[in-house]
Amino acid sequence: MTNKPDLGRFGSFGRGVTPQQAKEIEALGYGAVWVGGSPPAELAWVEPILEATTALHVATGIVNIWSAPAKPVAESFHRIDNAYPGRFLLGIGVGHPEATTEYRKPYQALAEYLDRLDDYGVPTNRRVVAALGPRVLKLSAQRSAGAHPYLTTPEHTAHARELLGPSAFLAPEHKVVLTSDPDKARAVGRKALDIYLNLANYQNSWKRLGFTDEDIARPGSDRLVDAMVAYGTTDAIAARLREHLDAGADHVPVQVLTRSENLVPALAELAGALLG
């Protein structure tokens, strides 16, 4: 793999940002904004963010292969990349079996979707794959720039780096609550984690990391929440996030668990410890 994407060390992850927020996030020194959920294939929201910024990257975390067909996604990629070369990273993934009636043979479906992106000229080094388990991690290195794991730990990052090899891109997401109160942080973290506790792909991933059935049963153990959600002082949070870099990550999308209107102030509070 060559031409690994360079998104800086840290980015912001969320359900969406406004162009003005993106401009402010860039000014703070973050290298990218990742937009989660399963956005429609048109990706019409991307250009306004890129237009409002100068060097910030935009990445999808992730386009769902079941709800966004490859051809219109590829057309959107080319439209965006022609206008803002090298600043858009297409993240794709299979989502969850519980979320779609079409979910079957997900590995095969993902490989076929990557085949279609090849057919439509989406460059390998401008796409990443949501990957948790060994098989899809290896596929991400073979067929894309690399992997974008979600809800993992630095231990997973280290294992992923071993599987991916040194030249693949690795961008694990990590959640943050800006508080030093463990009870408050865990309450916010549990609310964010709740939807994932009954999803098989995350359950399997957590079990591979050594979490027990008791850990991952609702509402989630303190051990699980503390592993998935960084909290404490800004220095403590920054140290936790840097563990991913030390384990082999190239870039860490940081998901601050706060209201949209508080996102930029929270990222600003974190920036001094994280980006200094």
Side-chain angles (χ1 to χ4, degrees):
M1 185 69 58
T2 57
N3 300 321
K4 186 187 290 189
D6 182 4
L7 276 62
R9 294 179 300 165
F10 295 99
S12 172
F13 186 106
R15 281 281 173 174
V17 296
T18 67
Q20 179 60 33
Q21 285 177 317
K23 187 175 182 178
E24 295 170 6
I25 290 168
E26 179 180 46
L28 291 171
Y30 294 91
V33 291
W34 292 72
V35 176
S38 298
E42 290 70 28
L43 301 176
W45 48 271
V46 175
E47 284 102 334
I49 295 174
L50 293 174
E51 183 180 6
T53 54
T54 57
L56 190 76
H57 289 76
V58 174
T60 52
I62 46 83
V63 168
N64 191 309
I65 68 167
W66 307 106
S67 59
K71 184 176 182 180
V73 168
E75 290 169 350
S76 296
F77 172 86
H78 290 301
R79 183 192 75 235
I80 296 163
D81 194 58
N82 286 338
Y84 302 95
R87 292 178 58 199
F88 176 64
L89 186 64
L90 175 64
I92 68 164
V94 297
H96 319 297
E98 296 84 357
T100 176
T101 56
E102 298 175 22
Y103 197 100
R104 52 185 181 272
K105 296 185 178 178
Y107 181 90
Q108 180 182 340
L110 183 58
E112 290 173 356
Y113 195 95
L114 290 164
D115 289 342
R116 300 290 78 74
L117 293 181
D118 288 343
D119 293 341
Y120 300 129
V122 176
T124 303
N125 66 344
R126 300 308 307 170
R127 66 197 196 204
V128 293
V129 175
L132 293 173
R135 197 177 181 206
V136 180
L137 282 166
K138 290 177 182 177
L139 180 71
S140 75
Q142 295 162 357
R143 302 292 308 278
S144 77
H148 170 48
Y150 190 81
L151 278 176
T152 60
T153 63
E155 291 77 15
H156 181 277
T157 297
H159 180 58
R161 175 51 72 197
E162 291 179 7
L163 290 173
L164 294 170
S167 58
F169 180 71
L170 180 55
E173 171 268 354
H174 205 103
K175 291 174 172 52
V176 163
V177 179
L178 281 173
T179 180
S180 292
D181 181 338
D183 291 337
K184 181 179 179 181
R186 288 167 180 161
V188 174
R190 279 194 171 90
K191 185 176 180 180
L193 290 179
D194 184 69
I195 190 175
Y196 302 102
L197 292 172
N198 280 346
L199 298 180
N201 51 351
Y202 291 106
Q203 291 176 340
N204 293 335
S205 176
W206 290 329
K207 287 179 181 179
R208 285 192 295 265
L209 288 169
F211 293 99
T212 65
D213 288 335
E214 290 74 23
D215 285 321
I216 66 177
R218 277 197 168 113
S221 70
D222 287 353
R223 176 175 175 242
L224 178 69
V225 176
D226 290 354
M228 297 299 132
V229 182
Y231 61 89
T233 65
T234 53
D235 285 340
I237 293 169
R240 177 61 170 167
L241 297 173
R242 287 196 191 99
E243 289 180 22
H244 284 285
L245 299 179
D246 294 341
D250 298 291
H251 172 84
V252 180
V254 180
Q255 184 169 183
V256 182
L257 300 177
T258 190
R259 294 181 179 180
S260 177
E261 62 267 26
N262 297 331
L263 174 62
V264 174
L267 289 170
E269 184 178 344
L270 191 56
L274 193 60
L275 305 177

